[in-house]
Amino acid sequence: MATIKDIARVVGVSATTVSNVIRGNPGRVSPEMIVRINQTIEDMHYVPNLSARTLVSNASHIIGVINHLVPPEVGGFFQDPFHGALLAGIETTLRERGYYMMVRTIDTEPELLSLLSNWNLDGLIVTGIFPSDFYSRLKAQSVPFILIDSYVDSENELQVRLADKLGGYLATQHLLENGHRRILFCGPPIQAQGVLRERFDGYCQALAEYGLPVQDADIYGLEIGLEQSTALGLELARRQDFTAIFATADILAAGLISGLNEAGRSVPEEISIVGFDDLNIARLTSPKLTTIHQNVVQRGSVAADMLLSVLEKDSGAPRNIVMPISLVQRNSVRKLP
Amino acid sequence: MATIKDIARVVGVSATTVSNVIRGNPGRVSPEMIVRINQTIEDMHYVPNLSARTLVSNASHIIGVINHLVPPEVGGFFQDPFHGALLAGIETTLRERGYYMMVRTIDTEPELLSLLSNWNLDGLIVTGIFPSDFYSRLKAQSVPFILIDSYVDSENELQVRLADKLGGYLATQHLLENGHRRILFCGPPIQAQGVLRERFDGYCQALAEYGLPVQDADIYGLEIGLEQSTALGLELARRQDFTAIFATADILAAGLISGLNEAGRSVPEEISIVGFDDLNIARLTSPKLTTIHQNVVQRGSVAADMLLSVLEKDSGAPRNIVMPISLVQRNSVRKLP
DNA sequence: CTTCTAAGGTTTATCGTTCAACTTGCTGTT
DNA sequence: AACAGCAAGTTGAACGATAAACCTTAGAAG
């Protein structure tokens, strides 16, 4: 494969000059030379070697996308449709802006360190929910990163958040408006801060407005995954003291419906359900899922855009975006008389 | 960040010696020195810089995973649950064996070339269906690659195939056994060779055994995606001259069910459907999908394993595996009287 | 007529590793 | 005593690019 020196030799200039042309360096090269060099590059099918570039310039044009390891039994990262949509948005934007993407699930801290120093990653997109001390570990590395999912209470940190509290509120309120008074909350375990905390806060607020208590027995924690939620659905089918469920992810809602159905309880006739995310599967379940809509693909793409803008020193770029949500009514909620 | 020279200076040896220890080079270093160097590496949190390593040794430890660009409107690559499962298997294996994964959708040939020479990829996992001339283009590059989906008629090429023809046969035969006589075939356009060709051949064979003709009007080509298949479901609802559908992917079957239902035709009472893949969504649809099972996650992981074995010169490694399939009966097929 | 400046380059060092070719000191053999 | 052979290193040149500092020439300015 041709190197920059080959080009230089053929054209009869120094490697630096070729390098300047490649990187579009300002004004150092005459217009006709630019044309000749570009022509030769094309003729010889020259493509710069980014490993070499990375080595000297310390910028790799690789963005790492990491997620906390989700054991395959629990569904796995790539198999989760939410993350699939996120990745789709991220990849499209990175491609368009000339960056490469290295996806990796991270289990232990050394793995993160290896990833970073192995490849001089330019930046990191952090998806999924990491243990709470992870954020400070990450800050200790001097790599720009943007958080999706694992919120942090700081205006300065790069984040693409969602109006999660509002989402939790709207979902719950919708059920209350339809006459439901005992509403279960099902989602991954609630941490001190982050997505789930906020959705839970919204749930509590809605209940409070109707003067209803939040009851421990109504809060269920489970891993994201169809198996887990189907199992929970089977379990819940035995309880007779509630009429509705707010599930913090569509995939959970889908599993719940499936489990409830299997146990002979019908949705929405006996039990109403509201989901969260509005993924494709929300239209696949039967009944179709009433859920909180967010544009996940766009969220990934906004995250990538924000990160790259910061990397490219665009100081006017936003650091903290909150994306909108809305309630989408389909058929999984029944109005009680 | 510490470099190999820092380690060398601290220990008081040359960089080469450290390098030899890191790479486990045979016998050139005394046991006690090995211990001291390893200790220092750990103390200083040294991690080798793979860009530098790649540059000189011409092996990057990066495996590219490519897919032909699927426009987002058509579903996108990452959002397709089949590819999600595949990626899950691939990533797990690559991680375990110490490789990195660079995922990229490829639109034009220059993009492929850039990807390859930018990063000195060690190998390529090719998923999805590429245009037919792509295979020869790929061969022209001297990068080892393994095909999943885009079959090629050559025993020598690395491939992880599936008993696709048998799958198509079993699916169709199951419908025939249940009394169906007019069975539509729905899937992405059939090419000269590859997955779809084989599934179609199986379909034809089963029909032939029952003395039934293959009719052009019964073959539908559509892009993989929920939108497309839902639309097709709506369209098919108007036809009254068939009782069953064989869909070559679960995601298509799911959309078909949804479209048919929407148009007021019920599955399986009026129309029976058999899918292919047995993805998670097969248990989400209502009715649950009767489908051809394959272990997609494992398929990804087998592909990665085979490729790495070849890279690591394990000449005994298999080059061409055919993974098994089986029919899973759920509730989307009705026995006709 | 000298000096300055800008355009259009070139030279050389460097990034962090690896690899091939040396060196050095010791042991054992004949 | 001479020397082969080996263990345990070292040295210096790559790999392909970039960055900083330097050079050369023509014309403008004084």
Side-chain angles (χ1 to χ4, degrees), chain A residues 240-305:
Chain A
Q240 301 288 345
D241 58 350
F242 71 99
T243 60
I245 305 175
F246 167 40
T248 63
D250 283 354
I251 188 138
L252 298 182
L256 287 170
I257 292 178
S258 164
L260 288 168
N261 277 337
E262 201 165 308
R265 310 232 13 215
S266 69
V267 179
E269 288 71 17
E270 292 181 71
I271 296 171
S272 294
I273 296 191
V274 177
F276 204 112
D277 288 342
D278 196 20
L279 303 175
N280 284 338
I281 54 165
R283 261 161 288 172
L284 233 59
T285 55
S286 161
K288 292 185 181 174
L289 203 57
T290 291
T291 188
I292 302 294
H293 170 85
Q294 65 164 314
N295 191 331
V296 185
V297 176
Q298 195 187 16
R299 201 164 160 205
S301 132
V302 165
D305 256 327

Side-chain angles (χ1 to χ4, degrees), chain A residues 40-59:
Chain A
T40 310
I41 286 178
E42 198 161 318
D43 291 349
M44 300 182 68
H45 297 109
Y46 167 75
V47 179
N49 180 317
L50 293 190
S51 297
R53 176 127 91 195
T54 300
L55 191 57
V56 55
S57 71
N58 225 25

